[in-house]
Amino acid sequence: MTDLSYASATELTALIRRRALSPEELMGHTLGRIQTADAALNSVVALDPERALTEAAALTARLARGEDPGPLAGLPVLVKDLEDAAGFPTSRGTSAYRHSPPATRDSIHVARLRAAGALVIGKTNLPPIGAGVHTANDAFGVTRNPWNQELSPGGSSGGAAAAVAAGLVALGTGGDGGGSTRIPAALCGIVGLKPSRGRIPQGPSRMPCWPQHACLSGMARTVRDTALHLDVAAGHHPTDPNSLPAPAASYLDSLDTPMPPLRVGVLRTLGISAPRPEMLHALERTAGLLREQGHDVRDDEAALPSATDFPAPFLLRQKVLAYNRLLGVLDDFTARRTDFEPWFADILDGGRTVTLDDFAAYWTHRALLDQWTAELFGRYDLLLMPTVPTTAWPATGPDLAAAVRERTLPISYTSVFNDTGHPAISVPAGLSPDGLPCAVQLVAPHHREDLALGAAQTLETALGTLHPPAFATAG
């Protein structure tokens, strides 16, 4: 018997294609799983069971007629509520948009998933407009980590990560503007790929600078499912002039090709972080596995060009992003500031203080990061480091002042590669002594998601996948 809750997307779609499982059967299981399991997590903020069952029945009929609806045929998918999905409101994770009317059209990303046969069934929770490393807002409340419900699944794609980790769906959508895919993936024990800047088109943005920071993504439990999602989602779109052409080869197919020996640089601290012992243990273990697989793995103490000024560049980055978010909601914020969460409104107000000197300093720093990574990738084919300095923090959020003081800032290892645009993937790397997921991050040269996915696949093969004990049951 296949455990439908923890079957991968590739397994489920294979079962559907050979008629061993119908979309209706899978949808019935999925809706039941959400009803019973999500009460403890609060990851799903919008759901339309009637529509989901109707669409599953229609897809079952199409398959019976011999049609091929696509590589995601019949797969239930949850969409992060920062992205439009026709028929569902886009709350953007804030009380200000809690009662928005349903979207009339899909984002480019969601449209591509539907065109590939996926069934979009609902939306997942996030912090207001993605501004947080824990998932909570006044519209829907706090989302909890399936490994320990007193802890956070991270943010901003925390609802998607919790839902996928708990076996509600095999695939969700996310986004990553500073670690918002990789951080929740690390804390929830799943796979999270931030693709190259422009790999998945975004189209016109409410926040003009956002595409320079953020990438759309998928949230999945396996590397193969992550590659399958990217195959479907990647490729140029005319409304996004910065989007990249479709890749020449399938990312999923590339996983069946043996990896050549690679030069891997292991970066433990970036000169700014003090990862907890359990995170370093996970890093050493994965470095050892890569050595055993024939790769040239070397320690490198390369520090960020901003290391001596820590945490000033990180704080400046957050200030610039606050300005960008403010632009995206400016009319509404001016007219009805009190509709936004008070703490988030304060962040948006902070965006008003950004000066030309701030922008100049920020973009100068980004140029230094580009040079720094260019030198690193002159020496290495891949970089290996922790994804986050610690395991999961409280559901109400980390103590950021303590994180700065103790050098455990959650975005220490992730936001750098949003600024540089490199593909980076978080992969589960075992459990800490107290039973929480640990993770490592692999970073590849620009546009080389195939290298990141291939190396991640070899680690997953050696280490296996993780399932939270309280949710790892069939049915």
Side-chain angles (χ1 to χ4, degrees):
M1 294 291 291
T2 299
D3 180 353
L4 296 182
S5 298
Y6 279 99
S8 67
T10 51
E11 291 168 336
L12 291 171
T13 53
L15 288 170
I16 287 171
R17 280 194 298 272
R18 65 173 186 261
R19 310 285 182 87
L21 175 69
S22 75
E24 285 179 284
E25 290 170 328
L26 178 56
M27 187 61 70
H29 170 87
T30 299
L31 294 173
R33 178 75 169 176
I34 292 171
Q35 182 178 19
T36 58
D38 197 47
L41 302 175
N42 189 37
S43 67
V44 180
V45 298
L47 192 68
D48 190 341
E50 183 177 352
R51 175 181 170 182
L53 289 168
T54 298
E55 291 182 353
L59 193 58
T60 299
R62 289 179 62 192
L63 288 162
R65 293 194 296 268
E67 296 183 32
D68 180 7
L72 299 181
L75 188 71
V77 170
L78 290 166
V79 172
K80 181 178 178 178
D81 202 15
L82 194 59
E83 200 170 357
D84 288 343
F88 295 96
T90 307
S91 77
R92 303 165 76 182
T94 172
S95 53
Y97 298 113
R98 173 71 175 83
H99 300 294
S100 296
T104 58
R105 60 192 302 175
D106 293 327
S107 69
I108 298 166
H109 183 200
V110 173
R112 287 182 173 179
L113 299 182
R114 284 200 211 262
L119 301 176
V120 175
I121 63 172
K123 306 294 282 292
T124 56
N125 206 16
L126 71 152
I129 314 185
V133 292
H134 72 291
T135 295
N137 55 58
D138 290 351
F140 303 109
V142 177
T143 298
R144 299 181 181 276
N145 192 312
W147 289 86
N148 181 331
Q149 292 158 41
E150 297 301 313
L151 302 178
S152 176
S156 65
S157 306
V164 170
L168 276 58
V169 291
L171 183 65
T173 75
D176 195 313
S180 288
T181 293
R182 290 160 290 160
I183 292 171
L187 271 54
C188 291
I190 65 172
V191 178
L193 170 69
K194 182 198 78 66
S196 298
R197 184 185 300 136
R199 180 62 72 197
I200 299 175
Q202 301 186 54
S205 174
R206 299 182 180 100
M207 297 177 281
C209 296
W210 198 244
Q212 292 296 318
H213 305 283
C215 302
L216 297 171
S217 68
M219 308 293 288
R221 290 187 296 273
T222 71
V223 175
R224 294 191 72 83
D225 286 358
T226 303
L228 172 64
H229 166 267
L230 195 59
D231 277 347
V232 168
H236 179 74
H237 193 277
T239 65
D240 186 348
N242 296 312
S243 57
L244 299 172
S250 160
Y251 293 111
L252 183 58
D253 290 347
S254 73
L255 296 179
D256 296 323
T257 302
M259 290 285 291
L262 300 175
R263 301 167 299 162
V264 181
V266 180
L267 307 180
R268 288 174 177 77
T269 72
L270 300 186
I272 60 166
S273 189
R276 299 287 192 243
E278 60 269 25
M279 313 309 279
L280 287 175
H281 175 75
L283 182 68
E284 299 301 340
R285 183 184 183 196
T286 51
L289 287 171
L290 291 173
R291 285 191 184 95
E292 291 172 8
Q293 294 164 3
H295 302 294
D296 180 11
V297 180
R298 301 181 184 181
D299 295 338
D300 196 309
E301 295 305 317
L304 290 173
S306 58
T308 56
D309 297 326
F310 175 84
F314 288 89
L315 299 177
L316 178 61
R317 184 182 196 277
Q318 296 307 99
K319 188 176 180 181
V320 170
L321 289 184
Y323 171 82
N324 196 42
R325 287 187 173 95
L326 177 63
L327 288 181
V329 300
L330 186 58
D331 290 344
D332 292 328
F333 187 65
T334 301
R336 48 191 182 91
R337 183 188 191 281
T338 56
D339 288 349
F340 292 82
E341 289 79 354
W343 66 268
F344 181 56
D346 289 343
I347 289 176
L348 294 176
D349 271 334
R352 298 182 189 274
T353 68
V354 175
T355 66
L356 287 176
D357 286 344
D358 290 332
F359 274 111
Y362 174 65
W363 288 101
T364 297
H365 173 61
R366 281 187 55 152
L368 293 174
L369 290 177
D370 288 337
Q371 181 62 39
W372 180 76
T373 49
E375 292 171 357
L376 277 172
F377 284 112
R379 301 196 295 271
Y380 304 111
D381 303 305
L382 279 178
L383 305 177
L384 173 68
M385 64 196 74
T387 307
V388 284
T390 71
T391 53
W393 36 84
T396 52
D399 182 339
L400 292 178
V404 169
R405 186 171 61 252
E406 298 168 6
R407 293 185 172 247
T408 56
L409 199 66
I411 63 171
S412 296
Y413 295 99
T414 53
S415 66
V416 174
F417 302 106
N418 291 90
D419 288 342
T420 65
H422 290 85
I425 188 167
S426 180
V427 189
L431 299 177
S432 67
D434 56 354
L436 295 174
C438 298
V440 295
Q441 178 178 224
L442 293 160
V443 185
H446 288 122
H447 311 154
R448 292 304 307 270
E449 286 88 347
D450 58 310
L451 282 182
L453 288 163
Q457 171 77 358
T458 65
L459 291 177
E460 181 179 275
T461 300
L463 295 169
T465 56
L466 300 177
H467 304 323
F471 292 87
T473 57

